[in-house]
Amino acid sequence: MSKDILVGDHFLSGDVAAAEGAIAAGCRFFAGYPITPSSEVAERMARRLPEVGGIFIQMEDELGSMAALLGASWGGKKAMTATSGPGFSLMMENYGLGMMTETPAVIVDVQRGGPSTGLPTLLGQGDVMQARWGSHGPYQAIALTPESPQECFNLTIRAFNLAEKYRQPVVVLMDESLGHLFERVTIPPREEIEITDRKILKDKNRDIYEADEDLIPPMPPVGEGFGIHVTGLTHDERGYPSINAETQERMIRRINDKISKHAPEIIDYEEFMTDDADVIVVAYGITARSARRAVIMAREKGIKAGLFRFKVIWPFPSERLEELSDREFVVAEVNNGQALVEVERAIRKRAIFVGKMGGEPHRPEEILKGIEEALK
Amino acid sequence: MSIIKAETHPLDDYLRTERLPHVWCPGCGIGTVLGAYLRAMKNVGLDSEKSIMVSGIGCTGRTAGYVRMDSFHTTHGRAIPFAVGLKAARPELNVTVFSGDGDLFAIGGNHIIHAARRNANITVIAINNFTYGMTGGQLAPTTPETGITTTSPYGNVESPFNLAGLIAVAGASYVARWTSLHVRRLEKSLEKALKKRGFSFVEVLSQCPTAYGRRNGMRDPVDTLKYFQKYAVVKNHVNPLEGVIEPNKPFILGEFVDAPEEATFEDKLWELTKSEFLHTSQAERSEWIIEHRRHLEILSRIISGRGEDNEQS
């Protein structure tokens, strides 16, 4: 059996499944800093990466972790870190550098209760807007929200594929309950795993930030005489600083458009019993599991309920939600209304909000109450 | 015999001449230091195609934008961890961090001490101009006591870092300090730093007439160079803890640490990936680690001036 893809059925936590997904995707560099409830990802990577010829570094903090990821990514490695809210806050600086310099990287954020140190060992889903807007300036985020250890595996692979294809940091937004939940994870053989690698620039005479038709520039290799210059300053196609409104408009619009124009290919969601539903519950991560149960309970009571679950939360599936906007909506999440804002924007009306401040997942009954309220 | 045209410069091959003129003020010392660095690179025959420069933010941080090699201008304080990640991923590349005192020792202070502790095989050039030049001359962790800056208008009440001392005790393999006046010795020292396997650090005191000198009785760039000439004492292999810099007092320049080469951080990271290492007992792995450990007791003797190394002076 190959060491990088542990084909077969395993009993894994979400954290460990995410680490195995990364290795299966070709991740060969991890830099991180221990933080509950994500430390199991780092621990697994520390043990596993050397076995597959990869490098693991425990950095001095999350600022350095994110910087080291970008350095390693320019060195040609697929690179990942794992963290939770307080560390995610520190990573925002170089999350932005990754956007600006168009550097592939994956951040697994196992969300806990916040703000600040909050609930280190307990659930939260309060980093949704931080993933979207946490670093300053205009950019488009890509964030995935698995609901099971199997999806932690699958969606971490997809996160790498998206990071490599679109050349930017991609976030896997997990949560404490999911990170620590053990379930069966089936790891398929290599030929069944789809892997995307970055486009590599071959022409030394071409400007390094000259994009192809898909708005994505091929990434130049380092150490091969390209003499590239890469900066967090606004830069022109050559990569040279160009501090003016015209370059900002041209280059920053492109890095936004490269995601928004491909949004339909990136967006992924699950609809469960929505066809005839009068009321749709929107949920993601661990909350989607409570919501699914609530929908079944509602159906047992004769209420036509359905579930809309994000697998990719950014870019946001606004168009599909708009198509469903003749239904009533319930949004359930473990924060004070983050996805809620985007759902209401898409459906152009209010939804019933079933929020929790954090610490425990929703009971299905709490969401069922919201479903009933929506139909009043 | 080749003919050198008047409008060319011997270092043109190492510079992105299309980006000139640069952002630095007239009289700034950064160009002098960059010149010494590029000559040192040339002298030791470093392949510029296999060389990477990483900078942070600030006046010195702009250096990466002018050198004709793969270069990265990163975020404030993060040049070192970016370089550590890149070097770990690609140990065959020569990686230099070229940045300023504020970038490396204030906002980036945590990273540089850890990179030195790990003995990451990178070369760090720290231009110390005692201030934040790009933002207009604010207080730095290197501003001498009594120094007037825009954020210490009544004189600096803080004690500055002794950068060479700090990095020596953090575990660097090579530590030296020069100034923008001592260019030939700086160049030789940079050659050694570039050749050294392990964490090498060269601090270069430099003038910032625009943002610092002007407010501290050294309006003319030459005033600071004269100050360096007056107070600098060149003395190799003294205890780097004696390298404190106080206003209007002699201060030490020279090579503080030139330790025997040891296994680097990257050597060890890559050893972990070898099957001979993985598929042995933990006792044998521990043995390998001990065999390749850093000899901090030797380093400590060197730092305190009690090592054999001291006899070279």
Side-chain angles (χ1 to χ4, degrees):
Chain A
M1 193 172 70
S2 68
K3 279 186 193 154
D4 56 341
I5 300 174
L6 305 178
V7 180
D9 289 344
H10 305 268
F11 189 57
L12 302 179
S13 69
D15 279 352
V16 171
E20 286 302 332
I23 289 168
C27 174
R28 293 296 178 269
F29 186 92
F30 184 101
Y33 188 82
I35 184 168
T36 306
S38 78
S39 299
E40 293 89 334
V41 183
E43 288 167 356
R44 182 74 167 196
M45 293 303 265
R47 183 164 286 277
R48 290 278 285 130
L49 273 177
E51 293 177 353
V52 297
I55 294 294
F56 173 92
I57 306 179
Q58 184 169 315
M59 291 298 288
E60 52 274 12
D61 56 33
E62 289 90 346
L63 303 159
S65 303
M66 196 61 212
L69 278 202
L70 301 184
S73 183
W74 277 99
K77 301 283 179 198
K78 291 188 184 179
M80 182 172 93
T81 190
T83 192
S84 188
F88 196 48
S89 294
L90 292 180
M91 287 176 184
M92 287 300 113
E93 173 191 61
N94 289 308
Y95 182 51
L97 183 66
M99 296 295 175
M100 188 56 132
T101 55
E102 303 185 62
T103 311
V106 171
I107 306 169
V108 171
D109 174 21
V110 188
Q111 299 168 92
R112 66 193 220 186
S116 190
T117 315
L119 301 169
T121 59
L122 297 175
L123 170 67
Q125 290 186 313
D127 305 358
V128 169
M129 282 300 180
Q130 191 176 19
R132 176 65 190 88
W133 300 108
S135 200
H136 55 278
Y139 60 88
Q140 301 289 319
I142 301 177
L144 297 84
T145 48
E147 67 153 1
S148 64
Q150 181 69 57
E151 271 195 359
C152 289
F153 177 85
N154 297 351
L155 295 190
T156 302
I157 296 175
R158 179 140 201 258
F160 272 96
N161 291 344
L162 292 168
E164 291 287 316
K165 177 166 184 185
Y166 294 104
R167 282 190 62 183
Q168 71 170 38
V170 170
V171 182
V172 182
L173 272 179
M174 288 166 45
D175 54 63
E176 184 277 332
S177 300
L178 181 57
H180 290 158
L181 176 71
F182 280 76
E183 275 181 353
R184 179 209 297 261
V185 174
T186 302
I187 299 183
R190 186 183 311 273
E191 55 276 13
E192 288 173 26
I193 297 175
E194 193 192 318
I195 299 292
T196 309
D197 292 321
R198 63 189 71 170
K199 288 188 290 189
I200 303 285
L201 182 64
K202 294 191 175 77
D203 180 1
K204 283 188 186 172
N205 296 316
R206 177 170 161 183
D207 287 343
I208 64 165
Y209 282 108
E210 185 195 321
D212 288 339
E213 251 174 57
D214 61 6
L215 304 178
I216 307 157
M219 196 156 167
V222 300
E224 292 183 21
F226 280 70
I228 62 169
H229 182 61
V230 174
T231 175
L233 287 168
T234 294
H235 44 266
D236 60 19
E237 283 75 3
R238 295 172 300 172
Y240 292 172
S242 179
I243 314 298
N244 58 63
E246 189 267 323
T247 311
Q248 174 79 2
E249 184 65 33
R250 185 174 80 250
M251 299 303 279
I252 306 308
R253 188 163 299 287
R254 178 180 64 70
I255 66 170
N256 279 267
D257 285 353
K258 77 176 174 183
I259 303 305
S260 51
K261 292 201 169 148
H262 293 103
E265 295 161 36
I266 303 168
I267 286 169
D268 191 14
Y269 50 81
E270 179 203 350
E271 290 186 34
F272 173 68
M273 304 183 97
T274 53
D275 283 353
D276 66 340
D278 295 322
V279 55
I280 292 173
V281 182
V282 178
Y284 53 92
I286 199 73
T287 311
R289 298 169 70 119
S290 304
R292 192 185 306 271
R293 179 73 197 133
V295 163
I296 293 167
M297 287 161 76
R299 290 269 170 179
E300 283 165 359
K301 291 176 85 171
I303 301 168
K304 286 179 181 170
L307 168 69
F308 188 99
R309 174 174 77 88
F310 309 119
K311 292 163 89 173
V312 172
I313 195 165
W314 303 118
F316 200 77
S318 304
E319 278 179 29
R320 179 57 187 151
L321 286 167
E322 196 182 342
E323 286 168 10
L324 295 166
S325 62
D326 56 335
R327 329 292 176 88
E328 297 305 316
F329 273 81
V330 174
V331 177
E333 54 187 337
V334 188
N335 59 48
N336 203 22
Q338 297 195 10
L340 173 70
V341 178
E342 289 296 323
V343 171
E344 288 186 338
R345 210 149 69 115
I347 62 175
R348 296 157 202 256
K349 62 180 179 183
R350 304 309 294 261
I352 297 293
F353 181 56
V354 186
K356 288 172 87 80
M357 287 299 153
E360 58 176 13
H362 288 72
R363 288 166 216 283
E365 294 78 9
E366 292 174 296
I367 299 172
L368 179 61
K369 225 174 114 191
I371 293 171
E372 287 169 338
E373 202 183 319
L375 289 174
K376 268 181 198 161
Chain B
M1 210 179 89
S2 62
I3 296 163
I4 299 172
K5 284 191 221 149
E7 61 267 27
T8 65
H9 185 277
L11 293 173
D12 276 356
D13 286 350
Y14 289 83
L15 291 167
R16 298 180 194 271
T17 46
E18 71 276 21
R19 288 215 62 220
L20 300 176
H22 51 66
V23 296
W24 299 314
C25 303
C28 175
I30 296 171
T32 310
V33 183
L34 176 59
Y37 172 78
L38 294 176
R39 285 192 299 277
M41 236 183 107
K42 212 172 168 179
N43 296 348
V44 300
L46 224 54
D47 180 357
S48 61
E49 293 200 352
K50 299 281 173 207
S51 301
I52 314 277
M53 183 181 281
V54 185
S55 287
I57 296 296
C59 291
T60 312
R62 287 300 193 96
T63 310
Y66 299 117
V67 291
R68 190 169 297 288
M69 57 181 103
D70 291 338
S71 56
F72 296 90
H73 179 223
T74 64
T75 39
H76 200 13
R78 315 301 163 221
I80 297 257
F82 187 101
V84 165
L86 181 51
K87 179 73 182 177
R90 297 285 296 281
E92 80 279 13
L93 301 174
N94 313 304
V95 178
T96 294
V97 171
F98 204 105
S99 218
D101 49 306
D103 185 73
L104 291 168
F105 285 91
I107 193 165
N110 195 30
H111 307 304
I112 197 166
I113 57 176
H114 284 278
R117 171 181 68 80
R118 294 182 175 114
N119 200 27
N121 187 11
I122 60 175
T123 304
V124 179
I125 319 297
I127 297 191
N128 177 2
N129 59 9
F130 314 105
T131 193
Y132 287 86
M134 185 153 282
T135 46
Q138 292 81 16
L139 179 73
T142 46
T143 304
E145 278 164 327
T146 73
I148 307 287
T149 71
T150 56
T151 50
S152 62
Y154 307 111
N156 178 24
V157 296
E158 299 181 18
S159 307
F161 262 142
N162 164 6
L163 305 186
L166 177 67
I167 291 310
V169 297
S173 292
Y174 182 83
V175 180
R177 175 197 283 154
W178 301 101
T179 79
S180 52
L181 179 71
H182 299 75
V183 182
R184 274 183 304 161
R185 282 187 263 212
L186 168 65
E187 192 178 311
K188 290 287 159 213
S189 179
L190 289 169
E191 287 174 18
K192 282 180 90 167
L194 285 170
K195 281 194 282 190
K196 190 80 177 183
R197 288 194 88 249
F199 190 87
S200 53
F201 174 78
V202 180
E203 175 188 4
V204 193
L205 307 179
S206 179
Q207 72 276 23
C208 175
T210 305
Y212 189 75
R214 176 161 61 94
R215 301 189 172 93
N216 291 279
M218 293 179 283
R219 182 173 288 272
D220 193 308
V222 177
D223 294 339
T224 308
L225 298 179
K226 282 182 175 160
Y227 180 95
F228 292 157
Q229 190 180 30
K230 183 172 178 190
Y231 290 109
V233 178
V234 178
K235 219 167 154 185
N236 284 318
H237 307 285
V238 294
N239 184 336
L241 298 180
E242 290 170 26
V244 291
I245 300 174
E246 291 176 292
N248 302 315
K249 281 190 182 166
F251 59 88
I252 295 167
L253 296 184
E255 207 170 65
F256 290 101
V257 176
D258 184 9
E261 283 181 2
E262 296 177 308
T264 67
F265 181 46
E266 298 78 16
D267 292 339
K268 293 174 187 178
L269 288 175
W270 283 94
E271 179 69 20
L272 295 184
T273 68
K274 291 181 186 160
S275 60
E276 327 58 298
F277 183 87
L278 289 170
H279 299 124
T280 182
S281 67
Q282 187 53 47
E284 283 170 293
R285 286 194 286 260
S286 298
E287 203 175 301
W288 187 91
I289 294 167
I290 294 295
E291 204 178 306
H292 294 84
R293 77 184 180 92
R294 302 212 57 203
H295 292 85
L296 295 175
E297 70 287 357
I298 295 177
L299 200 59
S300 143
R301 279 204 298 277
I302 292 171
I303 289 171
S304 61
R306 289 181 287 114
E308 286 171 29
D309 193 77
N310 196 36
E311 288 162 22
Q312 293 169 18
S313 62

